[in-house]
Amino acid sequence: MVSSLTMTERRLALVILLVLSLVGLTMGVVGRSDLLGVQGFIVLVFSIGMAFIVMSDFYAPTPNPKRLERYYDDPTKAGIVLAMIWAVIGMFVGVWVAALLAWPDLTFDAAWASFGRLRPVHTSGVIFGFGGNALIATSFHVLQRTSRARLPDQLSPWFVLIGYNLFCLVAASGYLIGVTQSKEYAEPEWYADIWLVIVWVVYFLIYIRTLARRKEPHIYVANWYYMAFILVVAVLHIVNNLAVPVSFGHAKSYSLFSGVQDAMTQWWYGHNAVAFFLTAGFLGMMYYYLPKRAGRPIFSYRLSIISFWGITFMYMWAGSHHLHYTALPQWVQTLGMTFSLVLLVPSWASAGNALATLNGAWHKVRDDATLRFMMVAAVFYGLATFEGSFMAIRAVNSLSHYTDWTVGHVHAGALGWVAMISFGSIYALVPWMWKRETMYSPKLVEVHFWLALAGTIVYVFAMWNSGIIQGLMWRTYNESGTLAYSFIDSVSAMHPYYIARAFGGLLYLFGATAGLYNVLMTIRTARTALAESESEPDIPLVASARAAQPGE
C-alpha cells in the first residue's frame, strides 16, 4: 500500500494526516465539555494510527516506474475487504436491533445499546459502510477498465477510501454516544458532514480526471450511473445538511429549514438517496459485472441510456409522496405520487434489460452462484420498484406508510437488490483482483446465496404480513365509532412476525459471515499465485484499440 506511493506522495500523505490530527486535537480541546471532544479524540487516534502505517514503509524503495503501465487496483482490493467487514458489522447490529423489538430487555440497561442508538448504527453500517465501500471499490475498477486509463494518481484514491471510512467511523461512534441530527439516512452532525463533502469532491475529481485521460471514445454506460451517483449525492448531501451549529465547540446543530419545508427537504434527500446512492451506483455495478460474468453483451445499450435519463429526471420529483396526509400542499403530494408512478417505466427498463442479457446464458445462472446473485438482484430490483410505485398511490399509502410494510419494502430493496448485486460483483471481482481462477470455496458461495435468499424471503414476508395487519388494526372501528384495537394490541399481534424478522436477518448475517471468510481465504491462498503472476500484463490499451463494447 505505502510502498507503491512515490516519496512525494508519502510526504503529502503525512502532511494530510498531520492536519487531520490537528483538527481532531482542536475538536478535543474546544469540545472537552461536549460530545464533540470524544469525536475529536477518535479523529486524533485514527489519524495518528494511519500516520504510523505510512511511517512504517516511509523509507521503502521507490517503486518501479513500470507500475504506471498497469491499472491501479490497491484501493479496490482494500475497499472490497472493508465492504465485507462493514457488512458483517452492520448486519450483526441489524439482527440485534430486530431482536430488540421482540425481546426489549436485550439493551442490558445500557444507554448505548438502546434501539434509538443502535438502529442508525445498523442503517449507516450497511448503507454507507458496506454499500459505500463496495461502490467506491467497484467504481475504481470499472472506471479504469472501461476507460482503458489508469487512475490519475495514487494518493487521491486512498484519500477517498480512508477518508470515507473515517466518516463512517465518526458517524457510527457518534450514534452510540448520542450524537445525531435525527435525519433519515443523514444522522451525522455538521463536522462529519463537512468532512464528507471534502472526501466526495476528491472522489468526483478522480472520476473526471480519469475520464479526461480515457483511451476510449465513448463513456461506457456503467460510468454514467457511477457519475450520477457521485455528483447527485454531493448535491443532496450539501442541501439537506445546511445547518448552523450551536457553537464550534458543540456537536449539536440546527437545520436551516423548519416545519414542512424541513420535512420536504428531508424527503427530497431521502428518496433521492435511495435513487442515487442505493440505485444508480449499483446499476453501474450491474451494467458492468452482469454482462461480464454472463459472457454476453448487454441486451440493449440504448435502453440502458434511456433508463438512465428516465431515472435521473423522474426521481428528483418523487420524494413528496412520502408526505401524503401532512401539511405539505396537496398538489405537491400529488406531483410526487405521479412521478413515482411514472418511475416504474425506466426502473423496469433496467431490470428487464438485465434479465434479457441473460437470455441464452441461463445454464450459467443454474451452475454459477455468483451470476445467480446478480440475476436475483435484478428480479428484486424489479419487484421493489413496482412495490415502491404502488405504495406511492395515496390510498395505498394511507394503509402502508407508517407500518412494517414500509420496513418490508425497504429491506426487499436492501437485501434483495443492493446487497445481492454487491455480493455478486464482489465474488466476480475478487478472483480477478487476486489472480485466482475461482473463489477459495465455490461451495461456500452457493451456501451464501441460499442463506441470503432464504433470509430475504423470511424477512420480507414477515414484514409484509406484519405491516398489513398493523394497518388494518389501526383503521378498524367498533359500532360506537372508536378504535377497535389499542396500540398495545397491535404490538402484541406483531410479536411472532418480529421473531421471524430476527430469524431472517440471522440467516442473512450467517451468509455475509461466510462471504467474508471466503474472501479472506481467497486472498490468503492467492498470495503465492499473485507473486507468480506479477509479470502478467494488465495494461491499459493504446488509443488505436477499438471501442469497448457493451459488457466489456
Side-chain angles (χ1 to χ4, degrees):
M1 166 179 160
V2 178
S3 59
S4 67
L5 304 179
T6 64
M7 187 56 73
T8 303
E9 288 169 333
R10 294 173 203 175
R11 291 195 186 101
L12 188 54
L14 282 179
V15 170
I16 293 171
L17 290 168
L18 176 63
V19 172
L20 192 59
S21 63
L22 290 175
V23 170
L25 181 63
T26 305
M27 289 169 62
V29 172
V30 301
R32 58 187 180 279
S33 58
D34 188 83
L35 293 174
L36 181 69
V38 181
Q39 298 266 268
F41 178 73
I42 291 170
V43 173
L44 179 63
V45 171
F46 181 90
S47 50
I48 291 175
M50 291 305 304
F52 272 109
I53 293 175
V54 175
M55 287 298 297
S56 65
D57 265 348
F58 188 79
Y59 294 106
T62 304
N64 190 334
K66 285 192 174 181
R67 76 194 186 289
L68 300 178
E69 297 173 357
R70 297 172 177 272
Y71 295 123
Y72 189 46
D73 289 328
D74 288 355
T76 295
K77 293 177 179 177
I80 290 170
V81 175
L82 288 168
M84 293 302 294
I85 291 172
W86 275 110
V88 172
I89 294 172
M91 289 172 194
F92 168 75
V93 178
V95 172
W96 189 354
V97 169
L100 266 175
L101 289 171
W103 302 286
D105 291 338
L106 288 175
T107 61
F108 311 111
D109 290 329
W112 63 267
S114 61
F115 180 87
R117 295 194 186 185
L118 287 180
R119 199 279 308 157
V121 175
H122 160 60
T123 308
S124 294
V126 292
I127 292 178
F128 299 117
F130 170 47
N133 276 297
L135 286 168
I136 292 172
T138 56
S139 66
F140 285 159
H141 175 258
V142 172
L143 174 63
Q144 295 182 91
R145 267 64 182 185
T146 55
S147 303
R148 302 194 192 281
R150 183 184 166 92
L151 293 177
D153 67 276
Q154 299 172 114
L155 185 59
S156 59
W158 285 113
F159 177 81
V160 170
L161 185 69
I162 294 173
Y164 180 76
N165 279 275
L166 173 60
F167 164 78
C168 293
L169 182 63
V170 169
S173 60
Y175 305 147
L176 291 175
I177 61 177
V179 176
T180 174
Q181 62 175 356
S182 302
K183 289 188 172 185
E184 184 159 13
Y185 305 144
E187 284 96 343
E189 274 291 358
W190 58 275
Y191 48 91
D193 292 334
I194 292 173
W195 174 245
L196 184 60
V197 170
I198 296 170
V199 170
W200 217 252
V201 169
V202 175
Y203 188 17
F204 183 68
L205 291 176
I206 289 174
Y207 234 88
I208 295 297
R209 290 166 65 201
T210 307
L211 286 176
R213 299 164 59 248
R214 72 184 187 276
K215 298 181 177 66
E216 288 293 340
H218 80 313
I219 300 175
Y220 183 58
V221 62
N223 288 318
W224 286 77
Y225 284 95
Y226 277 123
M227 283 185 65
F229 144 68
I230 298 169
L231 180 62
V232 180
V233 165
V235 175
L236 298 171
H237 174 77
I238 291 170
V239 175
N240 187 49
N241 289 295
L242 289 174
V244 178
V246 172
S247 78
F248 290 116
H250 289 80
K252 182 63 186 169
S253 66
Y254 290 96
S255 172
L256 284 186
F257 306 102
S258 63
V260 74
Q261 287 81 14
D262 189 38
M264 186 60 241
T265 306
Q266 287 192 46
W267 273 117
W268 170 77
Y269 166 87
H271 199 74
N272 281 296
V274 172
F276 290 94
F277 199 101
L278 298 172
T279 300
F282 293 93
L283 280 173
M285 219 182 266
M286 182 190 80
Y287 272 117
Y288 182 81
Y289 292 104
L290 187 143
K292 285 288 286 185
R293 189 72 181 188
R296 299 181 61 80
I298 195 72
F299 171 71
S300 171
Y301 189 86
R302 291 183 179 87
L303 188 61
S304 63
I305 292 293
I306 292 171
S307 172
F308 169 80
W309 286 113
I311 288 173
T312 301
F313 180 75
M314 302 293 177
Y315 253 116
M316 279 291 172
W317 305 92
S320 60
H321 79 263
H322 287 276
L323 294 168
H324 283 317
Y325 308 102
T326 69
L328 192 73
Q330 188 160 339
W331 72 267
V332 183
Q333 300 175 27
T334 305
L335 183 73
M337 180 183 77
T338 305
F339 275 96
S340 189
L341 286 170
V342 179
L343 255 176
L344 184 62
V345 177
S347 300
W348 273 29
S350 273
N353 208 1
L355 295 177
T357 301
L358 295 172
N359 193 24
W362 290 107
H363 61 289
K364 294 183 179 178
V365 177
R366 180 194 62 201
D367 300 332
D368 183 358
T370 299
L371 191 56
R372 218 178 305 137
F373 264 113
M374 301 183 197
M375 184 274 290
V376 170
V379 171
F380 269 99
Y381 177 59
L383 289 173
T385 49
F386 169 77
E387 189 184 24
S389 297
F390 181 62
M391 292 170 74
I393 299 171
R394 190 174 175 83
V396 179
N397 188 279
S398 70
L399 174 71
S400 69
H401 197 253
Y402 297 107
T403 71
D404 288 336
W405 187 351
T406 299
V407 179
H409 165 65
V410 168
H411 282 79
L415 302 177
W417 158 237
V418 173
M420 291 272 194
I421 193 67
S422 299
F423 287 133
S425 300
I426 287 172
Y427 282 135
L429 186 53
V430 166
W432 297 341
M433 288 289 95
W434 278 275
K435 315 290 184 188
R436 291 266 306 185
E437 190 173 339
T438 64
M439 291 292 295
Y440 167 72
S441 171
K443 287 184 178 177
L444 212 49
V445 179
E446 192 81 32
V447 170
H448 183 185
F449 170 78
W450 288 111
L451 282 171
L453 183 60
T456 304
I457 291 173
V458 170
Y459 191 110
V460 173
F461 272 90
M463 290 298 95
W464 278 346
N465 279 283
S466 171
I468 292 172
I469 290 173
Q470 270 180 337
L472 292 176
M473 290 180 76
W474 291 347
R475 59 167 54 180
T476 302
Y477 298 90
N478 56 30
E479 292 180 352
S480 62
T482 58
L483 290 172
Y485 301 99
S486 66
F487 182 72
I488 195 65
D489 289 334
S490 65
V491 173
S492 299
M494 297 308 104
H495 191 68
Y497 299 113
Y498 288 169
I499 295 174
R501 167 164 68 176
F503 177 68
L506 193 62
L507 292 179
Y508 213 91
L509 173 63
F510 285 156
T513 306
L516 174 60
Y517 173 76
N518 208 357
V519 168
L520 294 179
M521 288 304 295
T522 305
I523 296 170
R524 182 179 177 187
T525 56
R527 283 176 182 167
T528 305
L530 182 63
E532 292 172 352
S533 64
E534 281 296 334
S535 60
E536 292 180 6
D538 189 10
I539 302 171
L541 299 185
V542 294
S544 59
R546 64 180 175 81
Q549 297 302 306
E552 287 187 346

